Amino acid sequence: MSLLESEAAGVVMTPDHIRSKRLPLLTNLGVAAAALVAAAAIVFGFGIGGWVLVVVLGTAFYLAGLYAAATRVEGRRAARNRFWQTLIYTACILAVLPLAAVVWTLVTKGVARLDGDFFGTSMNNIGARDPDGGAYHAIVGTLMQVGLATLMAVPLGVLGAIYLVEYGRGRFALTVRFFVDVMTGIPSIVAGLFILAFWVLLVSPIFNNGTPRFSGFAASLALTVLMLPTIVRSTEEMLRLVPGPLREGAYALGVPQWKTILKVVLPTALPGIVTGVMLAVARAAGETAPVLLVAGGAAAINFDPFAGNQSSLALFVYQQAGDASKYAPQRAWTAALTLVALVLALTIAAKLLARRNRLS
């Protein structure tokens, strides 16, 4: 039968439709079981590890056994294809397992304090033997600090990326791009020390009768320093992916460059830009060192980000995890679950907003 006749009959010539010897499913399962048994015998027989090492060693044995069995049944070429396909699936599963383990641990250990008291009270006047107390002050601090940081970092980062892609030429643009790359890997403690030396010790005394002042706004400045390079680099890459004919078509119609960027380029790249922004927001929401250095942390609720100590969820988790109280670990796990849920909710909302406003 020719290719045209097979297509006319509704049969697509793919590797799945080619008749050849295939490794039976029972043989595949048998190889997997034998690999796990052999790995468990080696690991537990010599006492060199636990179940994690059994899984890793069993995976290696399984891939080797599968390749040998498939070579005998299907041939070397098909066995090589099956080997790499199985390796890709295995790598995908191994990559998802840690994430699933983290989510399961957070849910199982954090659900114990998911009550109104946790979300409606602070740690003010809560002793080591008091089972009450919540993270309301930390939730307020996180929303304020990350919100202010986002308001400062997103316009600066997007405008900086627009300059690098649309206008930047020569040494200055290369210098800006170089320093953005360097700032991408800056430790959070360095950002906190910079804001401590610049804002808290030099600038804040001007507005506080010569006395340095910790504040949530100082923490927002430190988080802005951490968010900026991520937003600039992600936005720059998304803008470069916008097809050139879209710009050329707008220019041919007489549209100015600034309006082309605003009405054509940015809406096209908006989903990717939002993803980069949310990555930066997630990093900022999980930082502890900058908040501890320049906001100080507080057990009471503080709605003023420009005056007084302020806490955050990440700092609350750090403090409760090191507290000697037997009730502190439950608060830490619930706060960690709350932080992850908060970032997830913000990401979903931002994605829905970007999908609604992107250029169709």
Side-chain angles (χ1 to χ4, degrees), residues 63 164 245:
L63 292 174
L164 292 177

Side-chain angles (χ1 to χ4, degrees):
M1 181 183 292
S2 64
L3 179 62
L4 294 178
E5 292 175 348
S6 64
E7 291 179 351
V11 179
V12 181
M13 297 302 295
T14 63
D16 295 333
H17 291 93
I18 299 177
R19 294 182 178 180
S20 61
K21 294 182 178 180
R22 298 183 64 84
L23 189 69
L25 178 61
L26 291 178
T27 304
N28 201 332
L29 296 177
V31 171
L36 287 176
V37 170
I42 294 175
V43 172
F44 295 124
F46 291 95
I48 57 177
W51 284 107
V52 176
L53 184 58
V54 170
V55 172
V56 174
L57 194 61
T59 302
F61 288 164
Y62 169 69
L63 292 174
L66 180 66
Y67 181 76
T71 301
R72 291 180 59 86
V73 176
E74 300 177 344
R76 181 170 297 180
R77 184 175 181 179
R80 190 179 298 114
N81 177 70
R82 180 181 288 273
F83 172 81
W84 286 107
Q85 185 180 18
T86 306
L87 184 62
I88 292 173
Y89 289 156
T90 304
C92 179
I93 294 174
L94 292 178
V96 173
L97 281 179
L99 177 61
V102 169
V103 173
W104 176 256
T105 304
L106 282 177
V107 172
T108 54
K109 294 190 176 183
V111 73
R113 281 300 313 275
L114 283 178
D115 49 41
D117 181 71
F118 182 83
F119 294 102
T121 60
S122 68
M123 291 299 296
N124 197 25
N125 298 325
I126 298 296
R129 298 183 179 180
D130 194 342
D132 297 325
Y136 180 61
H137 63 298
I139 296 174
V140 170
T142 296
L143 292 176
M144 287 187 175
Q145 294 163 18
V146 176
L148 289 174
T150 303
L151 289 177
M152 291 184 286
V154 171
L156 292 176
V158 173
L159 290 176
I162 290 175
Y163 166 77
L164 292 177
V165 175
E166 304 292 342
Y167 298 98
R169 301 293 183 272
R171 291 186 177 180
F172 181 72
L174 293 176
T175 303
V176 173
R177 189 175 291 108
F178 171 76
F179 280 105
V180 168
D181 292 336
V182 171
M183 288 180 61
T184 303
I186 186 174
S188 59
I189 190 70
V190 175
L193 288 173
F194 169 71
I195 298 301
L196 176 67
F198 170 70
W199 182 265
V200 176
L201 299 180
L202 291 181
V203 179
S204 65
I206 300 176
F207 306 98
N208 195 33
N209 299 323
T211 304
R213 171 182 289 180
F214 290 147
S215 64
F217 180 72
S220 299
L221 292 177
L223 297 180
T224 301
V225 174
L226 296 174
M227 293 174 63
L228 264 177
T230 302
I231 295 176
V232 172
R233 289 299 293 158
S234 60
T235 304
E236 180 185 0
E237 295 302 323
M238 291 301 104
L239 293 179
R240 292 187 185 279
L241 292 177
V242 176
L246 288 179
R247 297 180 176 88
E248 295 170 0
Y251 297 153
L253 294 174
V255 180
Q257 185 176 9
W258 68 269
K259 187 172 289 188
T260 300
I261 295 171
L262 184 63
K263 297 294 186 179
V264 177
V265 177
L266 286 179
T268 305
L270 187 59
I273 295 175
V274 170
T275 301
V277 170
M278 293 315 301
L279 287 175
V281 169
R283 182 190 179 186
E287 291 294 344
T288 303
V291 181
L292 181 62
L293 281 175
V294 300
I301 302 171
N302 181 13
F303 289 101
D304 187 0
F306 299 97
N309 291 17
Q310 199 174 53
S311 185
S312 69
L313 278 172
L315 182 58
F316 180 81
V317 172
Y318 170 76
Q319 292 172 339
Q320 292 299 309
D323 200 314
S325 173
K326 67 176 183 179
Y327 304 106
Q330 292 182 351
R331 301 190 194 106
W333 283 113
T334 306
L337 178 61
T338 303
L339 180 59
V340 173
L342 180 62
V343 173
L344 177 63
L346 292 175
T347 302
I348 293 175
K351 285 290 186 180
L352 293 177
L353 184 63
R355 179 181 298 180
R356 182 178 179 182
N357 291 284
R358 69 181 178 180
L359 183 66
S360 59

